[in-house]
């Protein structure tokens, strides 16, 4: 199209926008052009690298972002050395491994399971909730019953290493979630929760496929040694994960209670809708946590990770120590997230 014709088209669209609400909506798409043909996957923490690699197999073959995010997070779910997600996850204070996961696609469909026991891949159960039921969330026994009815195998997810860590913790039963804070608040010698809590991470993974479609997944064993039945932000749509295919997607990690209070991931997406770049949107969400819980915010870790429709990404955390992994046609990188403190 000639420059002149392009100019005419945009000025017609511009004047129409003043007149009609519908055109105004169309105009809103301008800051978020779809980057077709440039798939990308981003995920929380260093171990996101292996998850990204799995997701990338699907994305680079032209597959759907939804399939990529599910395949990606299944890697840490099945990794017994990862004590914060799926199999091998640290148990609650009663010694039970209870898992939380959710998934969201490019059409605002979403599914979630909370406090699910005995199932290696809660993310796949969450996807089935989304695709095969009229519901969004299944919890506890109901989620397990649904999983078993759909062919999932009942397994023991408590590994000897996690059981040992839990028994060690039982000696003091002290619950102080100072997660992944890479500063004076934490050192191994005075670890209040020995046995892995300070390496306790959730995986939130966001992907854009070759068609420019976004999806996300988030899965965790939650806070180690939590009260039985406690659910964090991770499986809560809007808190631990949100995908708005018009604007972008966001996910979170850290102390879920603080994220739930501000509906963090949805907030990040709405801030991107208002024009903020992903990193700035994540920073503003972190600042919101500080403004809501100023004292608590100094003690705990929360990190947000986001991507917009241009494929731009960014992150921000309360404390130093938050990392995230990125894989695209251009790079395979682990970034250090910036932090307020
Ligand atoms: C939760 N947000 O259950 C999760 C835990 C987590 O890094 O992300 N840990 O609150």
């Amino acid at each position: 199209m000639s420059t002149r014709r392009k100019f005419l088209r945009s000025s017609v669209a511009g004047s129409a926008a003043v007149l009609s609400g519908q055109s105004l909506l169309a105009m809103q798409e301008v800051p978020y052009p779809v980057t077709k043909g440039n798939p990308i996957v981003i995920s929380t923490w260093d171990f996101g690298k292996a998850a990204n690699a799995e997701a990338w197999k699907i994305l680079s073959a032209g597959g759907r972002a939804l399939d990529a995010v599910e395949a990606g997070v299944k890697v840490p779910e099945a990794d017994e050395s990862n004590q914060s997600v799926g199999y091998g996850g640290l148990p609650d204070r009663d010694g039970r491994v209870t898992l939380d996961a959710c998934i969201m696609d490019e059409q605002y469909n979403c599914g979630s399971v909370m406090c699910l026991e005995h199932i290696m891949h809660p993310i796949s159960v969450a996807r089935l909730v989304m695709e095969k039921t009229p519901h969004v969330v299944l919890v506890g026994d109901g989620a397990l019953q649904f999983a078993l009815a759909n062919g999932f195998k009942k397994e023991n997810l408590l590994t000897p290493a996690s059981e040992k860590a839990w028994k060690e913790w039982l000696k003091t039963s002290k619950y102080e979630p100072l997660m992944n804070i890479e500063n004076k608040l934490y050192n191994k010698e005075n670890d209040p929760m020995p046995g892995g809590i300070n390496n306790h991470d959730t995986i939130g993974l966001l992907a854009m496929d070759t068609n420019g479609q976004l999806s996300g997944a988030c899965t965790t064993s939650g806070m180690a040694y939590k009260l039985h039945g406690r659910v964090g932000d991770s499986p809560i749509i809007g808190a631990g994960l949100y995908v708005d295919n018009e604007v972008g997607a966001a996910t979170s990690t850290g102390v879920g209670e603080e994220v739930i209070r501000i509906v963090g991931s949805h907030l990040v997406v709405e801030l991107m809708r208002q024009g903020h770049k992903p990193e700035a949107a994540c920073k503003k969400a972190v600042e919101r946590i500080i403004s809501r819980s100023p004292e608590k915010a100094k003690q705990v870790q929360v990190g947000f990770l986001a991507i917009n429709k241009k494929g731009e990404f960014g992150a921000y955390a309360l404390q130093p120590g938050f990392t995230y992994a990125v894989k695209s046609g251009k790079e395979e990188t682990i970034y250090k997230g910036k932090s307020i403190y």
Side-chain angles (χ1 to χ4, degrees), residues 192-204:
M193 300 179 72
I197 185 64
N198 286 288
N199 291 316
H200 189 265
D201 317 311
T202 289
I203 187 154

Side-chain angles (χ1 to χ4, degrees), residues 1-292:
M1 194 190 299
S2 76
T3 315
R4 190 181 136 72
R5 269 176 62 205
K6 253 195 249 165
F7 169 73
L8 279 176
R9 219 174 77 151
S10 57
S11 53
V12 168
S15 47
V18 179
L19 301 171
S20 104
Q22 206 182 351
S23 303
L24 264 178
L25 266 185
M27 291 283 286
Q28 278 180 6
E29 285 168 18
V30 175
Y32 306 111
V34 171
T35 26
K36 286 198 179 183
N38 291 318
I40 179 167
V41 51
I42 63 177
S43 56
T44 52
W45 306 110
D46 308 27
F47 63 78
K49 189 177 174 195
N52 287 356
E54 200 59 32
W56 185 251
K57 288 181 192 164
I58 292 172
L59 294 174
S60 58
R64 188 178 171 201
L66 181 69
D67 294 327
V69 298
E70 181 190 7
V73 302
K74 282 172 80 171
V75 174
E77 280 186 343
D79 178 357
E80 86 167 81
S81 70
N82 183 326
Q83 290 186 299
S84 54
V85 180
Y87 179 52
L90 291 167
D92 64 17
R93 68 182 201 175
D94 301 338
R96 295 162 75 163
V97 179
T98 66
L99 305 177
D100 297 335
C102 74
I103 194 161
M104 190 159 184
D105 75 7
E106 74 287 352
Q107 295 163 58
Y108 307 92
N109 297 309
C110 43
S112 161
V113 287
M114 302 182 184
C115 206
L116 173 62
E117 293 178 76
H118 308 301
I119 301 292
M120 175 92 62
H121 290 300
I123 198 65
S124 301
V125 185
R127 181 167 177 176
L128 267 194
V129 172
M130 172 174 91
E131 292 181 336
K132 298 268 188 310
T133 79
H135 311 304
V136 169
V137 185
L138 289 180
V139 303
D141 285 349
L144 177 61
Q145 200 181 359
F146 173 75
L148 297 176
N150 281 282
F152 287 82
K153 236 180 36 218
K154 191 167 179 175
E155 295 179 75
N156 173 26
L157 303 180
L158 185 64
T159 55
S162 289
E163 188 171 6
K164 189 165 164 243
W166 167 62
K167 288 193 169 147
E168 191 58 35
W169 174 80
L170 276 178
K171 290 179 189 163
T172 56
S173 301
K174 202 166 152 200
Y175 187 64
E176 279 182 28
L178 297 178
M179 297 172 167
N180 286 294
I181 300 177
E182 192 189 75
N183 64 12
K184 59 182 174 359
L185 285 174
Y186 173 67
N187 65 64
K188 256 202 158 39
E189 285 64 55
N190 68 11
D191 187 342
M193 300 179 72
I197 185 64
N198 286 288
N199 291 316
H200 189 265
D201 317 311
T202 289
I203 187 154
L205 185 146
L206 311 169
M208 182 185 282
D209 61 29
T210 49
N211 291 315
Q213 309 281 21
L214 288 167
S215 290
C218 188
T219 178
T220 188
S221 50
M223 295 270 209
Y225 321 131
K226 61 198 173 187
L227 285 180
H228 181 65
R230 178 266 184 190
V231 170
D233 58 323
S234 306
I236 299 180
I237 299 293
L241 175 75
Y242 198 71
V243 179
D244 186 322
N245 203 38
E246 279 180 9
V247 174
T251 189
S252 63
T253 181
V255 177
E257 281 74 2
E258 298 309 313
V259 178
I260 294 170
R261 255 189 262 285
I262 63 153
V263 199
S265 292
H266 185 259
L267 175 61
V268 172
V269 170
E270 288 307 302
L271 287 163
M272 290 195 289
R273 192 193 307 280
Q274 289 165 23
H276 296 284
K277 296 265 193 200
E279 183 182 300
C282 291
K283 184 176 185 204
K284 280 193 166 294
V286 171
E287 287 167 348
R288 183 76 63 89
I289 291 180
I290 296 171
S291 74
R292 295 296 181 265

